[in-house]
Amino acid sequence: MKNIVILGGARDYHAMDWYRAVRQNISDKKLSFLTDLMGGEGFDIIAKDDDEIEKLFIIDKFLFSKQSKLGNIWRNIFKLSIMPLQVYRLKKHAKRNPNTIYHAHPMYYMFLCWLAGVEFVGTPQGSEILIRPYRSKIYRYFAVKSLQAAKYITVDSVSMKDKIYELSSVEAIVVQNGIDMEQLLKYSQLSRSKDKIVSIRGMTGLYRIDEIVTARNRTFPKLPLTFIYPFMEDSYRVRVKKKLIPNDVDLGRLDKEQMYKLLSESKLVISIPKSDSSPRSVYEAIFLGACVAIRHNNYYEVLPLCMKERIFIIDFANESWLKEAIAFADKIKTIKYHPSKEALEMFDQNISMKKMIDKLY
């Protein structure tokens, strides 16, 4: 086995969770996390003292002070402008660390690995495959080159796997988004009243938060909603806030423990993005006993029956979709969720990671 370097943003929960899951299941090889981002744009620092963090050129202080659409554009421009510097530093890192394989999360870091000529595994995000290649020919060209340069590509859904093959003729490996079963089961066993209705996805147009609020205002104008989101666009958030009522709760970005506590107190969680791959937060909500309202996605088809039974499929043509979703949740919320053996084997991140360590590294 080679030494392993996870390459990504240290403020990215998905990348850091992957790193920590690998660390928990491997002991005979050096493992570290290499990054160019620790925080910035108002993000909390989620790296811990016991994380083995190594650094490229850290760009935090060159970013805007808070998240916004303009800030996103600037960050992308800045990261592209200093890409030669980051490639140089990555090459130096690889030279100092022979017999190492890099695992890049997500596509930008795959670009770096391709340009630096290092051996790497890549894990792109859903929109990087499902949306962006069809909006920009330049992006598509570099994405395809990066996909083809990787030793392996991992994705979290069959739809991602199929789209990658369509783009690049590369056969990706489906790795189901694992969840921290030990922590989840601890919170799910606590006795809590389930009364909250929660939106859990990013506060941007892609995730249709505005449509959730519009449906509430149309159907139950006094019903409070709770909003949590890992990231946001400030102008979009301002637009949404104009439609909120005084009892709505805007919590922003929560750490895992805070999120698990909130989801364990929720009767309905809403996740209705325009495109989706395999959303871990949806699975976490189900394991914590909530019902989840989604639009139909391919990931739903492969879920175990015990999970499907807690999912309400939204029909946007029906203006009463929120009313019907709440009625569904009210029926289900008193029934304790008991995950099947199939669900536990499919979603336990330690089971998934042990299989992937042998395959990827």
Side-chain angles (χ1 to χ4, degrees), residues 299-310:
Y299 72 80
Y300 171 82
E301 301 300 334
V302 301
L303 295 180
L305 179 60
C306 67
M307 298 179 72
K308 288 181 177 178
E309 289 175 342
R310 303 188 82 85

Side-chain angles (χ1 to χ4, degrees), residues 11-203:
R11 70 185 195 184
D12 180 344
Y13 276 116
H14 289 289
M16 290 300 292
D17 282 348
W18 185 287
Y19 160 73
R20 289 167 183 155
V22 174
R23 184 179 63 184
Q24 187 173 343
N25 288 283
I26 198 168
S27 59
D28 60 340
K29 288 293 177 182
K30 181 182 176 183
L31 171 68
S32 63
F33 193 100
L34 181 62
T35 189
D36 63 342
L37 265 174
M38 296 299 296
E41 298 176 297
F43 281 84
D44 293 331
I45 303 292
I46 62 173
K48 300 176 181 178
D49 291 341
D50 62 342
D51 292 326
E52 188 67 35
I53 302 293
E54 299 185 89
K55 297 177 181 179
L56 297 172
F57 178 73
I58 300 298
I59 67 171
D60 296 18
K61 65 182 180 180
F62 298 95
L63 304 181
F64 284 24
S65 60
K66 60 183 180 179
Q67 299 167 66
S68 66
K69 190 170 184 178
L70 183 60
N72 290 340
I73 294 170
W74 165 248
R75 182 191 339 106
N76 292 333
I77 291 172
F78 186 73
K79 290 179 82 167
L80 286 173
S81 70
I82 65 165
M83 186 175 279
L85 171 61
Q86 304 291 32
V87 168
Y88 170 73
R89 292 201 171 194
L90 180 54
K91 284 182 175 180
K92 285 187 65 177
H93 186 277
K95 190 173 181 179
R96 293 194 306 267
N97 296 275
N99 194 37
T100 293
I101 188 165
Y102 294 82
H103 193 144
H105 296 251
M107 185 64 77
Y108 169 77
Y109 300 98
M110 293 169 59
F111 294 163
L112 290 184
C113 289
W114 167 52
L115 292 171
V118 301
E119 186 178 37
F120 75 99
V121 175
T123 299
Q125 291 178 340
S127 62
E128 294 174 334
I129 299 299
L130 301 176
I131 297 176
R132 294 181 195 173
Y134 303 94
R135 291 181 174 175
S136 167
K137 290 182 179 179
I138 295 174
Y139 177 90
R140 182 182 180 123
Y141 172 81
F142 284 102
V144 169
K145 288 293 186 182
S146 299
L147 292 167
Q148 292 174 339
K151 183 176 182 180
Y152 296 108
I153 296 293
T154 77
V155 293
D156 57 18
S157 68
V158 173
S159 60
M160 285 270 285
K161 174 185 170 76
D162 292 344
K163 193 61 69 174
I164 283 175
Y165 188 80
E166 177 186 306
L167 286 168
S168 64
S169 299
V170 171
E171 285 281 1
I173 302 167
V174 178
V175 182
Q176 182 58 61
N177 269 329
I179 54 183
D180 189 341
M181 205 64 68
E182 184 178 343
Q183 280 286 88
L184 282 172
L185 292 178
K186 182 179 74 174
Y187 278 87
S188 68
Q189 290 168 2
L190 298 176
S191 177
R192 301 182 187 278
S193 61
K194 293 187 175 294
D195 54 2
K196 294 182 172 61
I197 300 173
V198 182
S199 166
I200 55 172
R201 306 303 292 272
M203 184 65 77

Side-chain angles (χ1 to χ4, degrees), residues 322-340:
L322 181 59
K323 180 179 180 180
E324 294 179 8
I326 292 173
F328 174 84
D330 284 332
K331 289 181 182 178
I332 301 295
K333 70 177 184 178
T334 57
I335 302 173
K336 185 174 176 60
Y337 176 63
H338 295 286
S340 64

